């Protein structure tokens, strides 16, 4: 069945969520995780996009 389990190998530093799909040929495990680098990169990209739009609006 489709289930979602959380594996917690170390205290709070490695929290991952795993989704399991059972198919006719076997089991598929998908691990969902996000790192600090992912958060920082997406924040910087969104800030750049917002400032570019604001810059265009101010120059009009």
């Amino acid at each position: 069945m489709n289930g979602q389990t959380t594996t917690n190998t170390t205290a709070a530093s490695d929290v991952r969520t795993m989704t399991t799909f059972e198919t006719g040929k076997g089991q598929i495990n998908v691990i969902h995780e996000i790192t600090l680098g992912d958060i920082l990169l997406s924040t910087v990209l969104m800030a750049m996009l917002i400032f570019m739009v604001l810059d265009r609006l101010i120059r009009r």
Side-chain angles (χ1 to χ4, degrees):
M1 287 206 185
N2 294 341
Q4 203 170 30
T5 59
T6 302
T7 57
N8 205 359
T9 54
T10 59
S13 64
D14 190 24
V15 178
R16 294 186 229 174
T17 306
M18 183 171 62
T19 304
T20 303
F21 297 103
E22 290 187 16
T23 64
K25 293 185 177 182
Q27 196 174 34
I28 300 172
N29 295 319
V30 180
I31 298 174
H32 310 279
E33 64 181 349
I34 186 166
T35 62
L36 182 61
D38 295 334
I39 295 171
L40 290 175
L41 185 64
S42 61
T43 304
V44 168
L45 288 174
M46 286 304 295
M48 286 175 59
L49 285 172
I50 290 170
F51 286 129
M52 287 175 66
V53 168
L54 287 176
D55 186 44
R56 293 222 178 209
L57 289 175
I58 291 171
R59 288 187 183 202
R60 285 187 172 193

